[in-house]
Amino acid sequence: MPQPRAIGSAKLSVSTDALGKTRLRDLRQSGSLKLVFPQTYSHDAEAVLVNTAGGITGGDKLTLTINVEGGAHLRLTTQAAERAYRAQHDEIGSFETDITVQDGSSLHWLPQELILFDRCALKRRLSIDLAPTARLLMVEPIVFGRAAMLEVLNDVMFQDRIRITRAGRPI
């Protein structure tokens, strides 16, 4: 079995301080997946996901884990469009994301688009668990080739699974 080319993982947990401002509680990151935090003047936190590998190709393995603790508010986006590049015949890239949003918290999941290129192979999974009073704003744009570049997709393997639950029940 081929070995992953790019391996990256990031784990982020945010919570609120005594004044109600969302703060970084825990951050762990390794490999090609990074989170950066732009300066904001809001009580909400903002995080930007960066894939330093420049895209995903066959054999890559990326994982992201986010925990938004009670009362915290997080906006998460990406630095640029994610790209799923051509893969070898027997290699599949993967990107798995697990998010927990606790009671009284909110998450704005706003990544830029995923661009699929011809002969890409990608399995993507997004799992979001919402507490009973948690809030979610989510956008997941996908671009099937770039029309302006006259790209045509003839052979693509793309599996995208999104699961959102509230208090353990699918919504």
Side-chain angles (χ1 to χ4, degrees):
M1 177 189 298
Q3 294 297 312
R5 294 185 183 147
I7 299 174
S9 67
K11 294 182 180 183
L12 169 66
S13 183
V14 294
S15 61
T16 56
D17 64 15
L19 299 174
K21 183 170 175 121
T22 299
R23 302 269 185 194
L24 181 68
R25 180 178 176 112
D26 188 32
L27 174 65
R28 297 174 189 198
Q29 47 193 4
S30 65
S32 64
L33 205 56
K34 305 294 181 201
L35 287 162
V36 295
F37 305 90
Q39 178 68 37
T40 65
Y41 299 96
S42 166
H43 280 285
D44 299 348
E46 186 169 328
V48 179
L49 185 63
V50 179
N51 178 1
T52 61
I56 302 171
T57 189
D60 291 355
K61 182 171 176 50
L62 304 173
T63 59
L64 176 64
T65 305
I66 305 286
N67 183 30
V68 185
E69 295 186 7
H73 305 284
L74 176 65
R75 282 185 307 275
L76 197 138
T77 188
T78 55
Q79 177 190 27
E82 185 63 83
R83 292 162 174 83
Y85 291 118
R86 179 180 177 166
Q88 296 298 316
H89 177 70
D90 59 345
E91 296 180 333
I92 299 171
S94 69
F95 198 141
E96 297 183 358
T97 304
D98 292 295
I99 301 173
T100 302
V101 186
Q102 297 180 16
D103 271 324
S105 300
S106 67
L107 172 70
H108 291 180
W109 176 258
L110 306 168
Q112 294 189 46
E113 66 273 12
L114 166 66
I115 302 172
L116 301 177
F117 287 85
D118 196 36
R119 298 188 61 195
C120 70
L122 175 62
K123 287 185 178 180
R124 192 170 71 159
R125 182 186 54 78
L126 171 61
S127 177
I128 302 175
D129 293 314
L130 302 170
T133 63
R135 294 180 315 232
L136 171 68
L137 171 65
M138 182 182 133
V139 176
E140 265 300 335
I142 300 172
V143 176
F144 294 89
R146 300 173 300 174
M149 304 297 285
L150 304 176
E151 294 172 354
V152 177
L153 299 184
N154 294 308
D155 183 19
V156 170
M157 196 298 289
F158 178 56
Q159 182 181 56
D160 197 21
R161 295 182 186 256
I162 298 174
R163 180 184 66 88
I164 303 172
T165 61
R166 180 173 302 280
R169 300 185 67 160
I171 58 174

